[in-house]
């Protein structure tokens, strides 16, 4: 029932990517334009320690210590930074057509184009757009350590 996408990477190994892995990478790409905002919100959450009903913490006494310790060890913040750097690296090392395809499919505010629509805009066939997208997703997956 799952569709497997097979392609050959630069080491001539066959990589199989199932729907879940592809969709996960696509969600990461869709979040890329908002990563800085997510990081700012997360840092704000870490800078204000929990203040419950019975466990009121003094922000002046504990806040700075918690903030400094949490920023370096927070896994959510670290993963957002890794995602951002990997996407930037992959975009930098992709050709102009692939960058445009990824931008039109995942980064633009008008994300209503299909593969065929992007192909029409860029004067490419749907299969070429699909291959370039699959190669980019595979490259991103390798950079993120998924494959």
């Amino acid at each position: 029932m799952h569709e497997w996408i097979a392609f050959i990477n630069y080491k001539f190994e066959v990589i199989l990517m199932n729907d879940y892995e592809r969709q996960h990478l696509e969600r990461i790409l869709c979040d890329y334009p908002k990563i800085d905002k997510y990081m700012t919100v997360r840092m704000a959450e870490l800078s204000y320690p929990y203040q419950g009903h019975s466990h009121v913490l003094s922000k002046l006494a504990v806040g700075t210590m918690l903030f400094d310790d949490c920023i370096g060890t927070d896994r959510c913040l670290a993963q957002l930074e890794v995602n951002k750097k990997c996407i930037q690296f992959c975009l930098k090392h992709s050709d102009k057509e692939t960058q445009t395809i990824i931008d039109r499919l995942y980064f633009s505010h008008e994300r209503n184009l299909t593969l065929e629509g992007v192909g029409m805009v860029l004067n490419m066939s749907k299969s070429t757009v699909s291959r370039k997208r699959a190669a980019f997703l595979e490259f991103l997956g390798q950079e993120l350590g998924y494959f």
Side-chain angles (χ1 to χ4, degrees):
M1 298 223 210
H2 293 287
E3 179 183 331
W4 292 85
I5 299 172
F7 45 87
I8 300 174
N9 66 5
Y10 62 94
K11 295 179 184 175
F12 301 106
E13 300 169 333
V14 175
I15 303 289
L16 294 176
M17 184 185 320
N18 64 25
D19 283 343
Y20 173 76
E21 292 165 337
R22 181 182 49 78
Q23 289 170 358
H24 179 69
L25 291 171
E26 287 177 337
R27 281 192 303 271
I28 290 172
L29 282 171
C30 289
D31 285 342
Y32 175 71
K34 300 174 262 184
I35 283 181
D36 289 329
K37 181 180 177 183
Y38 293 159
M39 292 174 73
T40 303
V41 168
R42 184 64 183 150
M43 288 175 77
E45 289 173 355
L46 294 173
S47 65
Y48 296 104
Y50 172 73
Q51 296 188 8
H53 297 291
S54 61
H55 298 93
V56 178
L57 298 174
S58 169
K59 183 177 182 248
L60 294 174
V62 184
T64 306
M65 181 185 68
L66 286 176
F67 183 71
D68 291 340
D69 290 341
C70 290
I71 292 297
T73 59
D74 187 61
R75 291 186 343 178
C76 178
L77 199 56
Q79 189 60 50
L80 287 171
E81 186 67 31
V82 167
N83 291 351
K84 181 179 176 180
K85 286 182 179 180
C86 287
I87 292 171
Q88 289 172 342
F89 179 81
C90 291
L91 286 171
K92 182 179 176 185
H93 290 87
S94 297
D95 63 346
K96 216 46 160 166
E97 292 174 339
T98 303
Q99 291 174 2
T100 306
I101 290 168
I102 298 302
D103 181 60
R104 293 284 175 114
L105 289 174
Y106 303 110
F107 302 157
S108 69
H109 295 290
E110 301 171 6
R111 291 185 36 225
N112 56 358
L113 288 177
T114 61
L115 292 176
E116 193 170 321
V118 172
M120 289 176 73
V121 169
L122 298 176
N123 227 5
M124 294 180 192
S125 68
K126 178 183 171 184
S127 60
T128 302
V129 172
S130 179
R131 276 194 308 272
K132 287 182 176 283
R133 179 188 69 161
F136 184 85
L137 290 174
E138 185 261 339
F139 185 37
L140 179 61
Q142 285 182 342
E143 287 301 311
L144 288 170
Y146 295 160
F147 307 120

